[in-house]
Amino acid sequence: MESVGERIVRLKEERNAVILAHNYCLPEVQDIADFVGDSLGLSRKATETDADVIVFCGVTFMAETAKILNPEKTVLLPDPAAICAMAQMCSPEQIIAARERNPGKEVVGYVNSTAACKAEMDVCCTSSNAIEIVSSLESSGAIFVPDRNLGTYAARSCPDKDVVVWNGFCPIHQSISVQQVAELKAAHPDAEVLAHPECRTEVLDMADVIGSTEKMLNHCRSSDKTEFIVLTEVGMGHRLEVNCPGKSIHFPRSAVCGAMKMATLETIAEVLENMSNPVELPAEVVERARRPVERMIGRS
Ligand code: 13P
Ligand code: SF4
């Protein structure tokens, strides 16, 4: 009898499909994917594929971003309930009101936001290029939505910009405390500390390296160190194990994002079989969101 893995391989071929997976996905999902990466890498990959169908294993905003960049392609979500909590912390109406309160400031939006919010932004960014995007703004000020931690991190690196920071956050990264990091450091005194910029500012101040999930991987791979404390979601452990053999990695145990675990081999096979859960966005939203997303990936 055909295994679920064999079924996925067969269906992928029949549908001319590609599977993209975020670094936090389940190990078996990462292993079957054609490309695994951070938000920026996945968005770029979505523009490079000549597949007709993209199965996006991650959260809904990531699949929506792929659809905005490829409106003619079918983008399937293994589970449409995979919603990023931070992306719910900002609405298009709130962005419009904030723009009115802050004339002359550009709206910079973290990609962890809904497509309807992206339609109200001037430019999007990911955790990989937030500083670069804020520093390259033509105006002297920005409204940064929705992540207060990434916004504060970018603003601190761009002192010439007047940045109004939203009050959203990722509950998973926010749950990583100074005390937890201090305990990990005491237990592993030789470890280098890598932190995702969604962590609290006081946690970022304890890190040796701050960056996106892909930057963390590249750092672990190239560093002479053999031990790392990695302050991000635990799914990253599989990516690091596969790519950095022989290095030991320690995570804060609380850092688990349930939404990122919703894509399973079974749900991937099911959506490929039935072509179910396609991302559907109003044409007007796709039209208006495309420019900020294309600026994010360096296409305009
Ligand atoms: P990366 O772009 O660094 O992979 O981060 C995405 C994310 O959702 C982190 O919580
Ligand atoms: Fe969203 Fe946080 Fe999950 Fe990333 S880890 S997808 S920011 S809830």
Side-chain angles (χ1 to χ4, degrees):
M1 193 182 129
E2 194 181 41
S3 71
V4 65
E6 288 163 348
R7 192 169 151 223
I8 291 171
V9 172
R10 173 178 58 78
L11 288 165
K12 243 178 44 158
E13 177 112 6
E14 285 172 19
R15 304 289 191 207
N16 187 25
V18 69
I19 301 177
L20 306 184
H22 187 265
N23 287 324
Y24 297 159
C25 283
L26 293 171
E28 60 274 25
V29 169
Q30 295 192 26
D31 292 345
I32 208 151
D34 297 289
F35 180 80
V36 185
D38 67 359
S39 306
L40 188 62
L42 291 168
S43 298
R44 289 200 169 126
K45 216 65 195 174
T47 64
E48 290 162 11
T49 179
D50 49 19
D52 298 316
V53 176
I54 299 173
V55 180
F56 212 115
C57 305
V59 284
T60 53
F61 78 77
M62 296 179 172
E64 287 178 354
T65 306
K67 183 69 180 177
I68 291 164
L69 289 165
N70 299 280
E72 75 296 345
K73 289 193 196 292
T74 301
V75 180
L76 303 176
L77 256 166
D79 190 332
I83 292 171
C84 165
M86 188 201 299
Q88 303 305 108
M89 294 185 187
C90 176
S91 70
E93 295 74 24
Q94 287 172 319
I95 296 178
I96 294 165
R99 207 191 264 285
E100 277 168 15
R101 285 196 304 274
N102 294 279
K105 286 190 163 62
E106 286 180 77
V107 177
V108 180
Y110 190 23
V111 70
N112 296 36
S113 49
T114 63
C117 281
K118 288 185 175 78
E120 300 301 332
M121 294 170 185
D122 294 298
V123 58
C124 288
C125 69
T126 73
S127 59
S128 287
N129 63 6
I131 294 175
E132 204 182 306
I133 296 278
V134 172
S135 68
S136 67
L137 293 176
E138 273 172 24
S139 57
S140 61
I143 305 164
F144 192 101
V145 300
D147 186 6
R148 66 180 182 224
N149 294 326
L150 179 64
T152 303
Y153 169 65
R156 289 213 296 184
S157 304
C158 305
D160 58 320
K161 303 286 184 198
D162 177 15
V163 184
V164 173
V165 176
W166 209 256
N167 200 21
F169 57 91
C170 162
I172 289 90
H173 287 84
Q174 188 71 14
S175 76
I176 302 173
S177 67
V178 165
Q179 192 189 334
Q180 245 177 331
V181 181
E183 283 167 12
L184 281 165
K185 282 176 89 147
H188 311 285
D190 293 331
E192 248 185 329
V193 180
L194 316 185
H196 194 279
E198 287 175 16
C199 291
R200 300 160 182 265
T201 303
E202 54 278 26
V203 165
L204 295 182
D205 288 341
M206 299 170 87
D208 300 303
V209 177
I210 299 170
S212 77
T213 53
E214 206 62 20
K215 181 171 171 182
M216 289 174 167
L217 168 67
N218 291 334
H219 184 84
C220 271
R221 226 183 336 220
S222 61
S223 171
D224 294 337
K225 292 268 189 179
T226 54
E227 201 176 10
F228 303 88
I229 294 168
V230 177
L231 305 177
T232 194
E233 210 273 345
V234 296
M236 192 60 203
H238 181 67
R239 191 86 206 286
L240 294 171
E241 262 167 39
V242 170
N243 288 280
C244 310
K247 303 212 170 179
S248 45
I249 321 280
H250 312 285
F251 284 92
R253 255 172 284 147
S254 61
V256 182
C257 176
M260 282 287 188
K261 313 300 175 200
M262 287 185 173
T264 63
L265 294 185
E266 288 70 25
T267 52
I268 294 170
E270 206 174 297
V271 293
L272 274 170
E273 181 91 57
N274 303 316
M275 295 294 280
S276 46
N277 305 338
V279 175
E280 279 164 5
L281 296 170
E284 187 228 342
V285 167
V286 172
E287 184 60 32
R288 295 184 59 218
R290 187 174 307 139
R291 187 163 177 271
V293 172
E294 287 193 334
R295 282 182 75 184
M296 172 185 89
I297 61 165
R299 260 209 338 201
S300 75

